[in-house]
Amino acid sequence: MAAKISLSGPPDLDLSSTSNLSVSSGSSNRSLRVAEKERRKKEAEDPFVLALKYFSDVEAGTPVNGNDEAERNMVLVEKMAYSKGLSPEAISILLEFAMSLRMGTSLCARVLKCLIPATLVPQDAVVRAVVWLSVGKISISTQILFIKWVLTVFDMIDAKDQLRAVYGFIFNFVTEENLCPYICHLLYLLTRKESVRVFRVRKLLELQSRLGRQPFLLSLLSLYKVFCPEMVMLSIPSRIKSGFRNHNMPWKSALIVVQKRAGHPVASGISPPSTIKTKPRKRKRCHLELPVMSSVVCKEAQTAPSSCGKLVPLVQLHSFAELLENMHRIELPAQMGSLLGSSLALQYLDCVQDESALLRLNFWLGYALHEEYLFCGDGGASQNSEEALQFLDKLLSTQHFLQEGFSCSEAFLYKFLNVWDGSLLRPQILGLLSNIPVVPSSQIRQLLFEPLMQLFFTSSLFFKCGLMECLNNMLLKWLTWHSVYALEDDLDISLNSHTSINMTLSGFKDSVMELVDFVGRLASQGLRLEGCHSLLLSFVLDFYETVCDMFMQYGLPLVVMPPPGVFYPALFAMDPVSVDRLAYIMHRYKVNFTSAKSQEKLTKQAFHISRQMVREFNHYIIVMVNCLWNSKMSQLDMGLSLGEELLLKSKVPQYWASFDLVHHPAFMSYAAAFHHRCWPGRKDMDLNSIKHSKPWSWYLEFLFSQGYDGLKQFVQSNVGRQLAADEGLGDSQST
């Protein structure tokens, strides 16, 4: 009996515990059901949810006039949209209601204008709305408003694959003249290589013949030509006016407010204003914050690498090794501006040379630069100089990394120079200016020289020095491109590897000649205005150190001599460094002339140097030798207007020897120091005693030991002398 009781004990205990578990489980389920019921009850009582339900269930043909319920629900939707933004589900419901015209066309535009997404825009909803465009009931103005909205929220659409699947359907609307600019913009964003077809190219060319060379058509055709150059035989201009305008104005301010309030990063494509202005006819300024890099195909790709098939989002890569491993299956980010903030992205652009990516990046950069600096009624970047400075610094570092400039920054600079005051963000603007590729000689005067000349003559000494440095860097880049891209038979310089411009050797030489002549004119007048300031003279000589070696260093068969307004201030400068640098420049000119002559004999290719240049070189050499070495400053015609009578009135003894290596103001301190060393016991100083045989040779060695290598090379190459003990100064010969 006891055994039975004991055996029956455990089953009784199991039943009890099971009963307790079932009771607790049932209680938990009831709690969940009660909570769900309460939530649904609250949602059912939420006016916004009721408003969405109204627009979802409203029947077609319901009148609008006098419909208080529709007006009340519309106000609720607008209030929610402008305060917190709309969820993806709300956008789907409202977009379907608007495009289906259930209550006619009067509410359609109003609904579209309040479609402010809080997070993402469902791709399915956009595709369904695009399909509704084929219904003839929707007016053209409403269709344009819808396409503008799609362009505004394009970077917020959760995926693009279905939109690209209906690329052909969207392309059909390009024939509608009023819709064409906006459809071309949308197609530009959706185009992939597989989208380019012969019949589409023909259709765009037909439209161009009817509408003219419109920028939006040329921009789309240029993208087609990048993907399939064999299909687009049209010659696309290298500098196309910005083809697509900014269409996000109706939604811009509200999107910024909603996204900032929610703590989300502001989508860069929205181009948010930093201040909302109330004055009419003034554009709203945009932040120049670089967007955060994100995936374009699917958002979950950032955490699941295999979720996007073969494509690997660039945002997932963290090392150069990973980039190399996935080089040919990279998925570019949704917002191309984010490439500027990623070194891996720049390495990808540099290695792959993805033309479509660079076109998109150029479009984004061009819009940001024009909106921030050109189209602002309040002075643009001046109100947020720190942000603008950081943006331009990032752009400059990107260009230095890629070793070339962007075509959009070039087009921006040509416009900005006409309104620039020369002080706003000067280092950054001059840095961008130095990256401009070779400009054809027929355009360089209007695009560059005229605005720069006005700035140069109305600005400070430091601006003049900065501009000289900028133009020197520009010339260096031009010459480097020539030495890298020039072919042996026919020069074919890709001035920008993404917007190729072919230029003949003569055309390139003309552009370089124009630039050097322009700098010569600026330098001559600038030195005169600034009293031959040594700082400005130093930057001018930097430029001519580049010019004198164009043949030897860069293989350009061109020689351009400095003008008298540069040569004589350097020769008669008060500091020895300037005279030494001038001597080095003239020495390098002689080396280039000699090398060109030797190469002409070896290759039998004529080096066309004008006789005028040869005459100028010989004249400068004779002047320098006579002044510095032979003490015969006034015995030859140097082009100076000082008369003999005026020189005599100055009462300077032996004025003709005032600029030799002993009496030259730049070297007189060295002569005095040398005299003191040679004759320490003399009370009176006779510098002419240095010109005797042995002291002269010792003085030259003393002078050259001070680091004046340019002067040493000039003397060795242009003056025939021997430092023999019995040789005097009068025996020297000029060669």
Side-chain angles (χ1 to χ4, degrees), residues 10 130 144 165 168 179 213 234-235 325 346 397 415 440 472 505 507 529 603 605 622 652 664 677 701 729:
V130 168
I144 291 175
L179 270 178
R213 293 171 67 87
L234 179 71
S235 176
E325 184 179 351
L346 296 179
S397 65
K415 299 176 183 177
N472 185 31
L505 178 59
L529 291 173
T603 61
Q605 292 180 355
I622 293 173
V652 175
H664 196 295
R677 286 189 182 186
E701 292 179 4
L729 178 62

Side-chain angles (χ1 to χ4, degrees), residues 396-570:
L396 274 171
S397 65
T398 300
Q399 292 188 350
H400 292 159
F401 182 88
L402 297 175
Q403 292 296 303
E404 61 183 332
F406 293 102
S407 58
C408 62
S409 63
E410 179 187 355
F412 157 74
L413 284 171
Y414 292 147
K415 299 176 183 177
F416 185 71
L417 288 177
N418 292 297
V419 297
W420 188 34
D421 61 359
S423 61
L424 177 66
L425 301 170
R426 181 194 303 160
Q428 289 73 26
I429 297 299
L430 291 178
L432 290 176
L433 189 62
S434 67
N435 288 323
I436 287 181
V438 184
V439 184
S441 58
S442 59
Q443 304 174 18
I444 193 171
R445 186 179 300 274
Q446 178 183 0
L447 294 176
L448 283 180
F449 295 169
E450 291 181 1
L452 288 179
M453 189 178 296
Q454 294 179 8
L455 288 169
F456 185 84
F457 291 125
T458 57
S459 298
S460 65
L461 168 68
F462 296 103
F463 177 84
K464 293 180 175 68
C465 295
L467 183 58
M468 284 295 160
E469 182 183 27
C470 165
L471 296 174
N472 185 31
N473 292 333
M474 182 189 296
L475 178 62
L476 282 170
K477 289 182 174 63
W478 289 12
L479 295 173
T480 303
W481 283 327
H482 164 77
S483 62
V484 172
Y485 294 111
L487 304 179
E488 293 182 359
D489 297 329
D490 183 22
L491 188 70
D492 182 12
I493 305 175
S494 179
L495 304 182
N496 185 317
S497 60
H498 312 297
T499 56
S500 179
I501 302 176
N502 296 335
M503 181 176 286
T504 62
L505 178 59
S506 61
F508 179 75
K509 288 169 61 178
D510 289 342
S511 296
V512 173
M513 180 75 80
E514 287 283 346
L515 177 61
V516 176
D517 287 345
F518 172 69
V519 174
R521 294 194 302 272
L522 284 188
S524 299
Q525 296 301 323
L527 289 170
R528 184 179 62 82
L529 291 173
E530 300 295 340
C532 297
H533 198 285
S534 58
L535 182 61
L536 179 58
L537 181 59
S538 175
F539 283 98
V540 172
L541 293 176
D542 283 340
F543 181 82
Y544 280 99
E545 282 185 4
T546 302
V547 174
C548 70
D549 252 346
M550 289 193 296
F551 178 71
M552 290 291 292
Q553 294 292 334
Y554 305 99
L556 181 65
L558 180 66
V559 177
V560 184
M561 300 302 299
V566 171
F567 175 80
Y568 287 109

Side-chain angles (χ1 to χ4, degrees), residues 256-293:
I256 299 157
V257 172
V258 168
Q259 291 190 0
K260 285 188 174 180
R261 189 173 293 166
H264 300 308
V266 179
S268 180
I270 298 171
S271 300
S274 59
T275 54
I276 307 299
K277 296 185 278 293
T278 57
K279 294 181 180 180
R281 301 179 65 184
K282 283 190 178 182
R283 291 180 179 260
K284 298 173 183 176
R285 296 183 57 242
C286 63
H287 277 304
L288 291 175
E289 298 172 355
L290 297 183
V292 179
M293 188 176 292

Side-chain angles (χ1 to χ4, degrees), residues 195-222:
S195 308
V196 183
R197 294 289 183 268
V198 175
F199 71 91
R200 289 174 184 154
V201 175
R202 289 174 180 169
K203 179 60 69 176
L204 292 176
L205 292 176
E206 290 176 8
L207 285 170
Q208 184 175 257
S209 64
R210 191 172 81 235
L211 302 177
R213 293 171 67 87
Q214 297 296 333
F216 50 86
L217 291 174
L218 287 173
S219 296
L220 186 56
L221 282 170
S222 68

Side-chain angles (χ1 to χ4, degrees), residues 528-641:
R528 184 179 62 82
L529 291 173
E530 300 295 340
C532 297
H533 198 285
S534 58
L535 182 61
L536 179 58
L537 181 59
S538 175
F539 283 98
V540 172
L541 293 176
D542 283 340
F543 181 82
Y544 280 99
E545 282 185 4
T546 302
V547 174
C548 70
D549 252 346
M550 289 193 296
F551 178 71
M552 290 291 292
Q553 294 292 334
Y554 305 99
L556 181 65
L558 180 66
V559 177
V560 184
M561 300 302 299
V566 171
F567 175 80
Y568 287 109
L571 177 61
F572 300 139
M574 301 297 290
D575 62 293
V577 174
S578 297
V579 181
D580 177 71
R581 295 182 68 185
L582 177 65
Y584 171 78
I585 289 170
M586 298 308 297
H587 166 69
R588 293 306 302 174
Y589 270 119
K590 183 172 184 178
V591 171
N592 278 256
F593 272 117
T594 306
S595 177
K597 199 67 176 177
S598 302
Q599 183 170 332
E600 181 181 0
K601 293 179 180 179
L602 292 174
T603 61
K604 296 182 180 180
Q605 292 180 355
F607 188 125
H608 298 289
I609 301 176
S610 67
R611 292 184 178 180
Q612 178 64 27
M613 289 297 170
V614 177
R615 278 196 225 98
E616 287 184 17
F617 171 75
N618 289 332
H619 175 70
Y620 286 160
I621 290 294
I622 293 173
V623 168
M624 287 190 68
V625 170
N626 281 325
C627 281
L628 299 176
W629 189 264
N630 291 333
S631 302
K632 298 177 181 179
M633 183 187 73
S634 63
Q635 294 185 13
L636 290 172
D637 179 20
M638 298 190 304
L640 299 178
S641 58

